Amino acid sequence: MPKSFYITTPIYYVNASPHIGHAYTTIVADVLARYHRMAGVNTFFVTGTDEHGDKIAEAAQKAGVTPQEYADKISAQFRDLCPELSITNDYFIRTTDSNHIETVRHILQKVYDSGDIYFGSYEGHYCVGCERFYMEKELIEGKCPDHQTKPEYRKESNYFFRMSKYQDWLINHIKENPDFIRPERYKNEALAFLRDPLEDLCISRPKSRLQWGITLPFDENYVTYVWFDALINYVTALDYPDGEKFKTFWPAAEHLIAKDILKPHGIYWPTMLKAAGIEPYRHLNVHGYWNSDQSKMSKSLGNVVRPLDLKDKYGLDAFRYFLLRDMVFGLDSNFSEEAFVQRLNSDLANDLGNLVSRTIAMAIKYCDGKVPEINREKKDSALQEAALKAVTEVESSFNDMSLHKALIAIWEFINVTNKYIVENEPWTLGKDPANKEKLTAIMYNLLASLRSIAILLTPFMPQTAEKILRQIGVAKSSALDLANIRKDDALTAGSPLTRGESLFPRINQEKESETSEKKSPVTDLKPEIDYEEFTKVDLRVGKILTAEAVPKSNKLLKLKIDIGEERTIVAGIGKDYTPAELIGKTIVVVANLKPAKLMGVESYGMLLATDTDKGLTFLTFDREAKTGAKIH
Ligand code: MSP
């Protein structure tokens, strides 16, 4: 464990309200902060809002208010979300804070004085959504790959940061510190950016065009470009340059972001730090994207998932659990309410909730409502071994940021504990007073397991952990950490046991969806086939490599698909998907369908899909599947 730990989230733009993507990053940061604090590590956790720039100015104008009024309103939504999600940030930074403005101007002046900022002219394709210029080759069909809008062509004189000067240094730094950017796929992506010569970074906007920014200390007529402003928040929050916090926490800086802002964090920020004479951060931790209904969340698609709606409907800890359990750190994940409810019912209501409620009920019955005294030599070591295994796995999962694996390890332990109940049948032992000692030991072991589970769950589900501890009579003030599990501390005999409310009531999915909708038998079922016949269909995992419209057809798209070999498949999906959104999708292919010609193009294979109210949708996988793998 490090001595200090500094964890940051991106500072979020104030042009739209928070959604589950923002909530996810902040919750992961919270889990990491809680975990380190629990281990006694000196921790500082910062989140906040990014408030300058074209985007905010435009949104404010549309709303008919000043940028500051607009920023105040949305920033408050992000700030208020923190206590709602039990986020334990130590500081909430806003780029409109005066100490931040001062720090940005200080660093700009420093870099300017050292000769790494110069005045020059620039022209190119500028996307307002991304707040950056794009090179011709980066555009897809002339549009921004992220926003699918046509960028404006802009030409202006501006200040530039000599980023190119630090290219070789950065490549070496990444190579010498292989986990500087992690997981590895994002390190490779950063190195891929660095394969081409780095251009210098335009860091200003003339005030004639944009007023809403921090004025350059060396030219009154310009404001700073948003990234040069925003990234500096990470050191402002530590009172750079002279603050004690900066000395303590900067060497332990862990940034947490999603893949969308890898370039500014992996390329701009380290070179800015180098130019300002500041050591690089320790790690850049990059996660994937939450999609909704298999596509990117966007207001226009109407598929934005709002964190507070889910929290209010299902409870905070269930929401935190689902997000942390269902995303493999680094990969994209799809949000669906059905999957959420399924996890809630199986992992939380069945496995954990039942374990707690039946253990407490039995312990109250067989041990007079108190934690029993036992002869510790007679302790059953199987449960303790399972607890130790979980501790080791949780620790290693935190080391490599795979929080879902930590939860899998905790659930293995929960399941071992549930099995222990089934195998030992306390209810049978309870029928004969001669078994009293054995039964007491079993109940003690179960209560000790509940304490270990609560400790392990604390960073992830703090409210649940507290509820469990309360039920087994552990005082709120007790400082607990993984070392308590390792040492197998004794529970305090005589502590009162109390029955709590059900931790996670089951959600009746049918009821949730529509109680009035009675299920009737399917009437258009095809004639039955036997298994032999079914196995004749060769289904494979396919990955869409390219997609283009078939000339003269308004519906057909020609797809190149990797199923272990490259196939051309023509599909009638042009009205449901644009070619750009298909590329990279993993789908199900009928691989042994005889080839056929469609509008003159030979098609070999078929994709599986179904109709929905919103159009056709493909069958995909809820975990990463290997391209070309057989489906059975
Ligand atoms: N203001 C910049 C960041 C400056 S940091 C110095 C910005 N803001 S943002 O509001 O667009 O937030 C982007 C971040 O929000 C992502 O990197 C991620 O942390 C989170 N997410 C936003 N949408 C997301 C998903 N759909 N899925 C997962 N996280 C996402 O970029």
Side-chain angles (χ1 to χ4, degrees):
M1 278 278 173
K3 273 213 211 87
S4 308
F5 184 71
Y6 176 38
I7 181 76
T8 67
T9 73
I11 46 170
Y12 304 113
Y13 286 132
V14 291
N15 62 336
S17 303
H19 60 60
I20 61 158
H22 306 115
Y24 174 74
T25 314
T26 310
I27 289 172
V28 171
D30 183 62
V31 174
L32 295 170
R34 284 175 183 270
Y35 174 78
H36 284 87
R37 280 192 211 110
M38 188 163 108
V41 177
N42 189 14
T43 297
F44 199 64
F45 167 18
V46 176
T47 184
T49 45
D50 185 359
E51 307 185 4
H52 292 123
D54 295 321
K55 242 198 278 202
I56 320 296
E58 271 181 22
Q61 203 183 13
K62 263 195 209 145
V65 293
T66 64
Q68 186 66 60
E69 282 167 341
Y70 194 81
D72 287 348
K73 185 172 151 233
I74 311 273
S75 176
Q77 291 181 8
F78 280 97
R79 186 194 288 263
D80 295 346
L81 187 64
C82 292
E84 293 274 1
L85 301 179
S86 275
I87 302 300
T88 54
N89 56 307
D90 298 290
Y91 188 52
F92 187 93
I93 190 164
R94 300 182 57 181
T95 52
T96 48
D97 291 340
S98 58
N99 61 336
H100 177 67
I101 295 172
E102 211 178 289
T103 311
V104 170
R105 285 166 61 88
H106 171 89
I107 291 182
L108 278 165
Q109 189 67 54
K110 194 168 176 193
V111 179
Y112 183 72
D113 290 345
S114 69
D116 280 344
I117 290 179
Y118 64 91
F119 194 61
S121 83
Y122 194 87
E123 59 189 286
H125 306 277
Y126 184 82
C127 172
V128 176
C130 302
E131 311 237 15
R132 78 168 178 100
F133 282 97
Y134 272 96
M135 288 186 285
E136 189 85 48
K137 68 171 185 191
E138 290 179 290
L139 302 176
I140 297 180
E141 292 168 0
K143 291 183 181 162
C144 160
D146 212 19
H147 293 89
Q148 268 107 49
T149 49
K150 209 169 166 349
E152 294 167 22
Y153 198 80
R154 287 187 180 178
K155 181 176 182 186
E156 58 194 29
S157 291
N158 265 312
Y159 285 89
F160 289 83
F161 164 50
R162 233 178 267 287
M163 192 158 71
S164 54
K165 182 172 154 190
Y166 297 103
Q167 175 157 12
D168 291 342
W169 166 81
L170 181 56
I171 295 172
N172 282 339
H173 186 78
I174 296 176
K175 289 192 171 158
E176 278 165 16
N177 300 276
D179 61 357
F180 180 59
I181 300 176
R182 57 188 186 180
E184 197 174 2
R185 55 169 56 210
Y186 297 110
K187 174 186 93 172
N188 295 338
E189 211 174 293
L191 286 172
F193 290 139
L194 291 164
R195 237 173 261 140
D196 292 332
L198 268 190
E199 287 182 24
D200 289 343
L201 186 68
C202 178
I203 59 151
S204 67
R205 295 288 177 267
K207 278 193 180 165
S208 54
R209 193 157 66 68
L210 176 72
Q211 305 266 325
W212 185 236
I214 299 176
T215 303
L216 296 184
F218 41 82
D219 191 336
E220 281 277 295
N221 298 315
Y222 283 83
V223 294
T224 341
Y225 163 70
V226 285
W227 282 107
F228 215 95
D229 164 355
L231 289 159
I232 288 173
N233 93 84
Y234 298 133
V235 294
T236 306
L238 298 179
D239 303 333
Y240 170 82
D242 301 321
E244 268 311 302
K245 284 208 282 285
F246 182 71
K247 282 188 211 120
T248 311
F249 290 111
W250 185 249
E254 299 278 342
H255 296 315
L256 184 64
I257 59 165
K259 61 182 188 179
D260 55 336
I261 48 178
L262 172 63
K263 194 169 186 179
H265 283 80
I267 313 285
Y268 306 172
W269 184 221
T271 55
M272 282 167 62
L273 287 166
K274 181 77 181 157
I278 307 172
E279 284 299 302
Y281 51 77
R282 188 147 187 264
H283 291 128
L284 178 63
N285 305 287
V286 189
H287 63 76
Y289 242 51
W290 278 100
N291 296 323
S292 158
D293 299 333
Q294 306 291 350
S295 24
K296 199 174 164 176
M297 263 181 276
S298 82
K299 259 197 207 159
S300 52
L301 287 177
N303 63 351
V304 173
V305 184
R306 291 196 312 205
L308 288 182
D309 293 354
L310 290 166
K311 179 211 152 187
D312 292 345
K313 195 162 169 194
Y314 300 110
L316 174 60
D317 277 2
F319 176 58
R320 286 175 64 115
Y321 176 76
F322 177 76
L323 290 185
L324 296 161
R325 174 64 185 80
D326 252 48
M327 179 170 265
V328 175
F329 194 87
L331 301 181
D332 289 353
S333 220
N334 186 55
F335 179 84
S336 90
E337 201 162 336
E338 293 81 54
F340 181 0
V341 170
Q342 256 171 31
R343 277 233 177 266
L344 200 164
N345 282 343
S346 67
D347 301 9
L348 299 178
N350 270 6
D351 300 346
L352 176 61
N354 277 348
L355 172 66
V356 174
S357 67
R358 63 182 174 157
T359 300
I360 298 289
M362 288 190 294
I364 290 177
K365 183 167 170 195
Y366 300 129
C367 309
D368 303 325
K370 290 188 284 251
V371 172
E373 179 102 56
I374 59 149
N375 174 353
R376 305 251 305 150
E377 268 154 38
K378 292 220 173 125
K379 256 194 107 227
D380 187 328
S381 66
L383 280 185
Q384 177 59 11
E385 261 169 41
L388 292 179
K389 185 165 172 256
V391 171
T392 310
E393 283 172 20
V394 165
E395 281 172 341
S396 85
S397 309
F398 269 95
N399 286 341
D400 63 8
M401 297 291 297
S402 33
L403 300 187
H404 71 289
K405 279 199 198 145
L407 288 170
I408 292 173
I410 299 172
W411 253 257
E412 262 168 32
F413 176 40
I414 290 174
N415 291 335
V416 168
T417 314
N418 269 322
K419 222 163 119 208
Y420 181 87
I421 298 181
V422 175
E423 283 168 0
N424 284 292
E425 297 188 15
W427 48 90
T428 311
L429 295 173
K431 286 181 189 153
D432 183 351
N435 297 322
K436 179 79 182 157
E437 198 182 351
K438 188 169 181 202
L439 180 60
T440 306
I442 288 170
M443 292 323 304
Y444 177 92
N445 293 340
L446 285 170
L447 292 171
S449 272
L450 289 194
R451 181 184 53 188
S452 302
I453 289 164
I455 297 173
L456 288 162
L457 286 178
T458 295
F460 302 93
M461 304 166 83
Q463 296 178 347
T464 303
E466 209 182 301
K467 283 184 196 163
I468 298 174
L469 291 173
R470 206 180 306 136
Q471 293 189 45
I472 59 172
V474 177
K476 203 176 170 188
S477 55
S478 350
L480 295 169
D481 66 26
L482 300 186
N484 294 95
I485 306 179
R486 282 235 158 80
K487 285 186 293 186
D488 192 14
D489 279 352
L491 287 168
T492 315
S495 303
L497 301 169
T498 37
R499 260 191 124 129
E501 278 171 26
S502 159
L503 290 177
F504 300 99
R506 272 187 80 81
I507 308 286
N508 185 344
Q509 247 167 332
E510 300 268 301
K511 199 171 91 210
E512 279 299 310
S513 53
E514 229 1 297
T515 13
S516 55
E517 225 177 84
K518 278 246 156 43
K519 299 272 175 257
S520 50
V522 182
T523 50
D524 57 351
L525 205 62
K526 291 180 186 163
E528 280 178 0
I529 55 170
D530 57 30
Y531 183 68
E532 275 295 282
E533 276 177 280
F534 169 70
T535 55
K536 288 183 190 156
V537 184
D538 195 321
L539 298 172
R540 299 286 169 139
V541 178
K543 188 165 192 158
I544 304 182
L545 304 173
T546 62
E548 59 187 90
V550 172
K552 298 201 192 105
S553 163
N554 61 357
K555 205 169 149 210
L556 294 181
L557 294 183
K558 180 177 155 191
L559 311 170
K560 286 242 182 307
I561 298 183
D562 181 1
I563 58 159
E565 65 182 42
E566 199 177 298
R567 288 286 182 88
T568 299
I569 297 181
V570 177
I573 51 173
K575 288 197 171 143
D576 306 287
Y577 289 95
T578 61
E581 64 185 327
L582 286 168
I583 295 167
K585 266 198 193 308
T586 301
I587 34 86
V588 178
V589 176
V590 182
N592 61 337
L593 195 70
K594 283 198 179 123
K597 273 207 167 158
L598 291 164
M599 299 273 292
V601 184
E602 186 168 274
S603 173
Y604 186 12
M606 191 176 90
L607 314 186
L608 295 189
T610 184
D611 292 312
T612 71
D613 296 345
K614 291 182 197 151
L616 199 131
T617 181
F618 285 120
L619 256 73
T620 60
F621 299 86
D622 65 358
R623 279 173 212 255
E624 199 168 31
K626 202 163 151 248
T627 304
K630 282 195 171 181
I631 297 168
H632 43 85

